[in-house]
Amino acid sequence: MAVRRSSSFLPYCFPLPLLLVILVAVPGSPQRTKLTTRVHGPAGSGDHWWKHAVFYEIYPRSFQDSNGDGIGDLNGITSRLDYLKDLGVDAIWITPIYPSPQVDFGYDISDYTAIDPQFGTMADFDHLVREAKKRKIRVIMDFVPNHTSDQHPWFLASRSSQDNQKRDWYIWRDGRVPTEPPNNWLSWFGHSAWTFDSTTRQYYYHYFYPQQPDLNWRNPEVREAMFAVLRFWLRRGVAGFRLDAVSRLFEDPELRDDPMLPGTNAYGDPNIQHKYTDNLPEVHALLRDFRKVVSEFPGDPVLISEADEPNIAELTKLYGAHNDEIQLPMDFQVADANRLSAPLFRTLFEEVEHNAASGQPYIFFSNHDQPRQWDRYGDGIHNDAMARLMAALLLTMQATPQMYYGEEIGMRTTPPARKEDVRDPIGKLGWPAEKGRDGERTPMQWDTSANAGFTSGVPWLPVPESAKQYNVAVEQSDPESFLNFYKRLIALRRSRLALRIGNYAALNPNDENVFSYLRRTSDDRHAIIVALNMSPEAQFVSFDLSALGFFAGALKTLLASPSGGAEVQPPGQVSLPPYGVFIAEIIPHVQ
Ligand code: GLC
């Protein structure tokens, strides 16, 4: 196999032909891999369940339908708990299941303490939590604090008159002039963030759709009402919350215009910087209050934040100055790297794994808002291999991993072909530049039967063609499938101490193609090396085990992709096929 050398360590006992290849390929003087392992953060010492858990996001409309109406539901999820258990999942985050007009498919809530009938009943919910608990799977709810539905009784009251007791629960303002909104703020989902209400002749503010009016978090009654919501679900046995859109919770009280940027967006609006509607400092005091509320409950409830922070400094702030805000802030820097690049991932992981708050990183690549990783990162040729590599990256880091349903079977994004088929309103508004998010929300692919086993009715979104090949039933019986690769990875993460609690250190820091790292326990008794070839060419990588403190050590392969693809040449050299994965244990003393 033609290989290109990636690392620069040359052991004196190298076979001559290989040595020549290496010498030709590496200009300049050899640079030894340094032992850079640092003990940091509480990850190796604390025993919070959420540091060791594998989280799995379920989009309930699309996971499993149990009553033939074409929409997934709670009983459907319950019927698949054994599958999730077998996969190795420890916690499921279910996107909103509350009563909702479903304008934003559940993110427009009209009652925070009930279940939407299309998903089932409260008894179904309690049953799900109980059954999950039996399998040691925790349930995480989606908490949407920024806005309600315009059909929520609070908003109906608020909009009924200017002197209604709930008027101030939302953001109402006069227009700049009667026919113009109060300022230039734009909705994330297109056009003005202000909608005129003819009954009371004022505008209300909405960061998202007009049907999602923003709550006024400066009003103490709003705070208390929403804290009560958290308590309601914690009493029902949930293990925590994913907090939706938390950076949008406050707006500038002076309503200053946002700065304009060049160009226009997919909706034809001028680009603006959301300076006065995003990340206002008051967010942090509120996050501390959320944390206090959940801390009233036993079981170490967790808060996971959705906030696409622009850099590590802002992300780090979410942990709180005294680690008293969010335990697991979603890392959108890693999620949105959007290309496989060893230097880029090395930088991003260096930042987050060694963050100044010593907080536990939380990583993911796919979710219900962005195209799936199979396509988003894929190059059109190596997508399967690349998706496996991303699985290995996700599940071998010190960070807590979150999967998105279907990722484990290699599901791809399948956007609607025609505007008239679009269900997500942003796709209707932004077509064709913005096709909306239907593509990443298609039904889970369970088997080769009609509608891939998702429903006996007409599925709310069509089942992709690829379901015939990529589905749970087919993959379960193929040892080389995505599904079995994920299972092996999760089992490794669970069973190997180095992956469970080991510190993280990047290896071979100058390698442009292969992202390699060491996970090892602070007592040095357990160590695992991971090498991910992020290039379309075969690569050769070498590890200086003695510099890492493993004299006469050797590498023992634990998992590789493709299986048998990585070749180990003792004592620490490995050749990797394009987008190959190599995970090996360091055996300290071999005879
Ligand atoms: C979050 C959700 C997204 C929703 C938006 C408004 O970003 O993930 O799906 O549309 O908030 O609630």
Side-chain angles (χ1 to χ4, degrees):
M1 187 188 342
V3 288
R4 274 202 301 151
R5 180 167 171 73
S6 286
S7 118
S8 46
F9 168 66
L10 300 179
Y12 69 91
C13 57
F14 230 62
L16 190 59
L18 204 44
L19 187 59
L20 288 175
V21 173
I22 292 161
L23 289 174
V24 169
V26 181
S29 59
Q31 189 189 10
R32 288 175 71 88
T33 300
K34 285 211 188 85
L35 173 59
T36 52
T37 313
R38 275 197 273 158
V39 179
H40 63 87
S45 49
D47 198 31
H48 297 291
W49 66 269
W50 37 266
K51 285 186 176 164
H52 306 295
V54 174
F55 286 72
Y56 185 96
E57 178 189 353
I58 292 181
Y59 197 68
R61 289 182 82 78
S62 301
F63 195 61
Q64 178 66 67
D65 178 21
S66 72
N67 61 2
D69 66 358
I71 294 172
D73 47 44
L74 294 175
N75 287 338
I77 299 174
T78 307
S79 72
R80 295 297 185 178
L81 286 173
D82 285 334
Y83 165 78
L84 295 170
K85 179 76 199 156
D86 186 46
L87 179 59
V89 164
D90 302 286
I92 50 176
W93 150 36
I94 308 177
T95 63
I97 48 176
Y98 319 99
S100 159
Q102 305 290 333
V103 172
D104 193 13
F105 296 112
Y107 283 96
D108 47 321
I109 297 169
S110 52
D111 182 352
Y112 283 92
T113 53
I115 301 290
D116 193 299
Q118 72 180 350
F119 294 125
T121 62
M122 195 57 91
D124 296 337
F125 176 79
D126 291 341
H127 180 59
L128 166 61
V129 173
R130 255 194 330 271
E131 288 300 313
K133 197 170 177 190
K134 279 187 200 158
R135 293 162 179 83
K136 297 194 168 51
I137 295 176
R138 290 171 160 94
V139 176
I140 305 293
M141 296 296 268
D142 209 316
F143 181 61
V144 185
N146 183 66
H147 47 268
T148 67
S149 159
D150 63 349
Q151 300 307 307
H152 195 295
W154 299 341
F155 188 71
L156 295 179
S158 182
R159 82 186 320 176
S160 64
S161 75
Q162 287 210 22
D163 51 16
N164 184 277
Q165 187 265 330
K166 290 212 164 44
R167 184 66 170 182
D168 186 49
W169 280 40
Y170 295 83
I171 320 280
W172 291 98
R173 293 289 184 279
D174 290 329
R176 208 189 306 249
V177 295
T179 51
E180 266 182 42
N183 63 16
N184 76 346
W185 293 351
L186 287 179
S187 159
W188 192 252
F189 288 161
H191 305 338
S192 175
W194 297 97
T195 289
F196 185 68
D197 187 65
S198 53
T199 314
T200 53
R201 309 205 58 73
Q202 278 194 313
Y203 287 83
Y204 66 88
Y205 172 71
H206 49 89
Y207 194 100
F208 297 98
Y209 293 125
Q211 295 88 343
Q212 294 170 300
D214 272 44
L215 283 164
N216 175 15
W217 276 94
R218 294 194 177 95
N219 182 321
E221 289 174 2
V222 168
R223 294 161 54 89
E224 285 313 315
M226 292 298 269
F227 295 164
V229 171
L230 294 174
R231 294 188 180 103
F232 175 89
W233 292 105
L234 286 161
R235 274 188 215 108
R236 294 204 101 84
V238 308
F241 300 90
R242 176 261 190 189
L243 305 181
D244 185 68
V246 291
S247 55
R248 334 286 199 204
L249 289 170
F250 289 91
E251 308 71 37
D252 179 31
E254 293 172 38
L255 302 196
R256 278 169 284 191
D257 274 346
D258 271 333
M260 308 291 289
L261 299 172
T264 52
N265 63 19
Y267 312 103
D269 303 318
N271 286 324
I272 58 164
Q273 182 199 349
H274 289 265
K275 178 173 175 184
Y276 294 114
T277 55
D278 234 357
N279 259 327
L280 267 65
E282 285 154 285
V283 166
H284 292 281
L286 182 57
L287 293 181
R288 280 195 291 281
D289 287 338
F290 286 155
R291 180 73 177 274
K292 276 188 209 138
V293 171
V294 298
S295 302
E296 293 165 10
F297 290 78
D300 197 10
V302 72
L303 293 179
I304 301 168
S305 60
E306 186 214 23
D308 47 352
E309 300 299 355
N311 53 48
I312 186 66
E314 290 299 318
L315 178 71
T316 303
K317 281 189 199 160
L318 287 168
Y319 292 107
H322 305 285
N323 276 299
D324 50 359
E325 295 182 29
I326 301 293
Q327 293 106 316
L328 298 176
M330 291 180 171
D331 187 338
F332 278 86
Q333 305 293 299
V334 168
D336 293 342
N338 287 343
R339 66 195 161 93
L340 290 187
S341 154
L344 179 59
F345 277 113
R346 205 174 286 126
T347 303
L348 293 173
F349 278 106
E350 190 61 29
E351 286 177 353
V352 73
E353 296 279 7
H354 299 148
N355 69 75
S358 292
Q360 173 73 2
Y362 187 77
I363 57 169
F364 66 101
F365 292 110
S366 289
N367 68 18
H368 64 286
D369 287 331
Q370 51 195 358
R372 286 177 176 272
Q373 68 210 48
W374 191 92
D375 329 75
R376 207 163 90 253
Y377 282 80
D379 63 358
I381 301 166
H382 302 96
N383 291 37
D384 278 356
M386 293 166 90
R388 283 167 195 252
L389 180 147
M390 299 187 75
L393 178 59
L394 184 80
L395 291 158
T396 58
M397 273 291 163
Q398 181 177 276
T400 300
Q402 177 197 295
M403 299 165 58
Y404 182 47
Y405 83 94
E407 171 184 328
E408 73 276 19
I409 52 169
M411 269 177 72
R412 60 200 62 186
T413 317
T414 313
R418 307 173 314 166
K419 186 178 179 185
E420 49 272 40
D421 298 331
V422 174
R423 302 294 306 270
D424 182 10
I426 61 171
K428 292 180 182 160
L429 188 66
W431 188 274
E434 169 61 70
K435 293 195 164 86
R437 297 164 291 180
D438 296 348
E440 54 266 29
R441 298 173 175 180
T442 57
M444 176 68 177
Q445 300 164 187
W446 294 105
D447 56 39
T448 51
S449 69
N451 296 319
F454 164 68
T455 180
S456 57
V458 180
W460 79 282
L461 282 176
V463 173
E465 264 302 297
S466 55
K468 294 194 182 85
Q469 196 189 343
Y470 293 82
N471 64 65
V472 171
V474 164
E475 295 194 30
Q476 255 161 353
S477 53
D478 171 6
E480 298 302 321
S481 66
F482 264 103
L483 183 58
N484 281 314
F485 186 62
Y486 266 89
K487 276 192 201 171
R488 274 183 231 131
L489 276 169
I490 296 174
L492 268 188
R493 184 176 179 87
R494 194 182 293 283
S495 62
R496 301 287 163 156
L497 220 50
L499 290 182
R500 220 175 127 71
I501 59 164
N503 300 304
Y504 160 85
L507 300 174
N508 300 350
N510 299 321
D511 194 318
E512 291 288 319
N513 299 304
V514 181
F515 180 29
S516 306
Y517 42 93
L518 175 73
R519 301 285 317 277
R520 82 156 138 198
T521 54
S522 39
D523 62 6
D524 283 347
R525 290 179 57 203
H526 305 272
I528 283 178
I529 278 182
V530 180
L532 307 172
N533 179 2
M534 297 195 166
S535 83
E537 281 118 27
Q539 300 289 340
F540 186 85
V541 66
S542 170
F543 302 106
D544 184 346
L545 299 183
S546 58
L548 296 172
F550 297 96
F551 300 99
L555 290 174
K556 184 184 152 220
T557 309
L558 295 173
L559 188 59
S561 163
S563 65
E567 284 169 35
V568 186
Q569 286 125 1
Q573 293 81 42
V574 184
S575 63
L576 283 159
Y579 299 107
V581 170
F582 171 71
I583 304 172
E585 192 169 25
I586 303 181
I587 308 291
H589 299 292
V590 283
Q591 296 304 316

